[in-house]
Amino acid sequence: MAIVSAPFGKEYCDEWVKQAKEYDQSKMGVKGLLDSGVTTIPSIFTHPSEDLNDLKPSSRNLEIPIIDLSMMINDRLKIAHQIKESFSSWGFFQVINHGIPIQVIEETIKAFKCFHEEPMIKDRYVWDEKVSYYSNFNIFKSKAVNWKDSLRVLTSPNPPEKETIPNVCRKELMAWDEYMKSLCETLMELMCEGLGVSSNRLKELSCLQMRKLLCHSYPYCPQPDLTMGLPTHTDRGLLTLLLQNEVSGLQVKYDDEWVEVKPIPGAIIVNVGDLLQ
């Protein structure tokens, strides 16, 4: 199991695994660490310097495409073409005027924020494969622990019992899943039309059946130059629909440059996954 690079030696690796296991099993999260009064990050959170140095933002004034879904009424074919071009060139775009009320968006963000800001009681929940809480999905195959806390709920095809979803965000989570299902269906139809196939092609292939919802929180970090909230990666599925709050930090790669995604109130970021690619 490759936890850290070889120069650190077996003794260091064993200690890293021990500390990571203790942290993971505690379910205290990064928020719990901060609540305990830490002023420096534990060594398990330190990412390799070469990974950190690779994240310098582009010097060019680049922005990912923005697509206005309200324009479908007047020219659906044009929107389908815009989506196809955005995925082909960027792999990302932001959608606005998608039909989800701003009040719903604000209530959803507020509910998830309330969950992550709860005191250190995450260990009182019953976590399983359908509803889980972690910093790294697979902590022992990572180079370092991520400075983030994540709530993950597998919402389809076999959703968890409602009672296993934290009560503080249960209603909003279940409602958001339905909104995302509807928006994803619309986007898949437009993608298919842009590609010149039947609008229901992806739906017929059961591409809407498996869904999971992730809620990430990136708390204040006393040493942000040593760690990351989430390292560079691609998403394995078909589509990722991302709602971010007003705090920037997300970067996407375009022409070997990292481009910051500037938050737009109410917008949903769409990312093409490995499966669709």
Side-chain angles (χ1 to χ4, degrees), residues 83 87 183-210 237-239 270 272-273 275-277:
I83 289 176
F87 272 163
L183 178 56
C184 189
E185 186 168 354
T186 298
L187 292 171
M188 289 198 307
E189 289 177 355
L190 289 165
M191 284 191 298
C192 288
E193 292 167 21
L195 292 170
V197 299
S198 167
S199 60
N200 289 326
R201 181 61 178 149
L202 288 173
K203 188 175 181 179
E204 291 169 352
L205 293 170
S206 304
C207 291
L208 259 178
Q209 285 190 8
M210 183 172 288
L238 189 86
L239 284 180
V270 186
V272 58
L275 180 60
L276 182 61
Q277 186 80 343

Side-chain angles (χ1 to χ4, degrees), residues 100 103-115 151 153 155 162 165-180 213 215 243:
I100 304 173
Q103 182 180 353
V104 170
I105 291 175
E106 292 173 349
E107 290 175 351
T108 301
I109 292 176
K110 181 180 179 180
F112 288 140
K113 186 177 180 180
C114 286
F115 166 77
L151 171 66
V153 180
T155 57
K162 293 180 181 179
I165 302 173
N167 183 59
V168 69
C169 60
R170 182 183 302 155
K171 181 182 74 172
E172 291 80 6
L173 185 149
M174 295 173 67
W176 189 252
D177 179 57
E178 290 299 319
Y179 278 111
M180 291 298 96
L213 191 149
C215 176
L243 171 64

Side-chain angles (χ1 to χ4, degrees), residues 10-275:
K10 182 180 185 300
E11 183 177 340
Y12 182 93
C13 292
D14 290 345
E15 181 62 24
W16 193 100
V17 171
K18 177 185 175 183
Q19 292 182 24
K21 186 175 182 179
E22 290 175 352
Y23 168 76
D24 189 49
Q25 292 180 344
S26 74
K27 297 303 177 189
M28 68 188 309
V30 172
K31 174 65 164 53
L33 284 176
L34 292 171
D35 289 346
S36 72
V38 299
T39 56
T40 59
I41 67 172
S43 59
I44 58 173
F45 289 92
T46 301
H47 283 252
S49 58
E50 60 269 22
D51 292 348
L52 296 168
N53 293 335
D54 184 48
L55 296 176
K56 295 178 181 178
S58 171
S59 58
R60 294 189 290 167
N61 187 25
L62 297 171
E63 293 186 7
I64 67 171
I66 300 172
I67 296 178
D68 185 350
L69 289 187
S70 68
M71 300 302 293
M72 285 194 304
I73 299 175
N74 300 320
D75 196 340
R76 185 179 175 95
L77 186 60
K78 179 180 178 180
I79 297 301
H81 179 73
Q82 287 179 352
I83 289 176
K84 175 191 172 185
E85 290 302 309
S86 297
F87 272 163
S88 298
S89 58
W90 279 84
F92 291 85
F93 60 85
Q94 295 201 65
V95 290
I96 59 174
N97 296 322
H98 39 62
I100 304 173
I102 190 65
Q103 182 180 353
V104 170
I105 291 175
E106 292 173 349
E107 290 175 351
T108 301
I109 292 176
K110 181 180 179 180
F112 288 140
K113 186 177 180 180
C114 286
F115 166 77
H116 282 293
E117 290 184 348
E118 283 185 324
M120 293 170 53
I121 59 172
K122 304 297 192 304
D123 59 337
R124 301 181 193 174
Y125 292 110
V126 177
W127 305 111
D128 56 30
E129 61 180 15
K130 292 184 179 181
V131 183
S132 54
Y133 177 73
Y134 56 86
S135 291
N136 293 51
F137 177 66
N138 195 332
I139 197 169
F140 301 112
K141 289 188 177 181
S142 305
K143 295 180 181 179
V145 181
N146 299 325
W147 192 263
K148 73 171 177 65
D149 297 325
S150 297
L151 171 66
R152 184 184 72 154
V153 180
L154 303 183
T155 57
S156 178
N158 300 306
E161 297 293 330
K162 293 180 181 179
E163 294 72 20
T164 64
I165 302 173
N167 183 59
V168 69
C169 60
R170 182 183 302 155
K171 181 182 74 172
E172 291 80 6
L173 185 149
M174 295 173 67
W176 189 252
D177 179 57
E178 290 299 319
Y179 278 111
M180 291 298 96
K181 178 184 176 182
S182 176
L183 178 56
C184 189
E185 186 168 354
T186 298
L187 292 171
M188 289 198 307
E189 289 177 355
L190 289 165
M191 284 191 298
C192 288
E193 292 167 21
L195 292 170
V197 299
S198 167
S199 60
N200 289 326
R201 181 61 178 149
L202 288 173
K203 188 175 181 179
E204 291 169 352
L205 293 170
S206 304
C207 291
L208 259 178
Q209 285 190 8
M210 183 172 288
R211 300 189 309 279
K212 64 180 176 182
L213 191 149
L214 292 165
C215 176
H216 301 310
S217 174
Y218 305 93
Y220 160 78
C221 181
Q223 295 176 292
D225 55 324
L226 297 180
T227 189
M228 284 187 281
L230 198 60
T232 59
H233 67 283
T234 59
D235 291 342
R236 292 183 295 176
L238 189 86
L239 284 180
T240 297
L241 306 185
L242 172 64
L243 171 64
Q244 64 175 346
N245 63 8
E246 72 281 359
V247 181
S248 62
L250 174 68
Q251 293 180 330
V252 303
K253 204 162 196 179
Y254 178 73
D255 281 350
D256 291 326
E257 293 184 282
W258 288 105
V259 178
E260 182 180 337
V261 180
K262 299 175 182 178
I264 299 175
I268 305 293
I269 300 166
V270 186
N271 170 21
V272 58
D274 295 339
L275 180 60

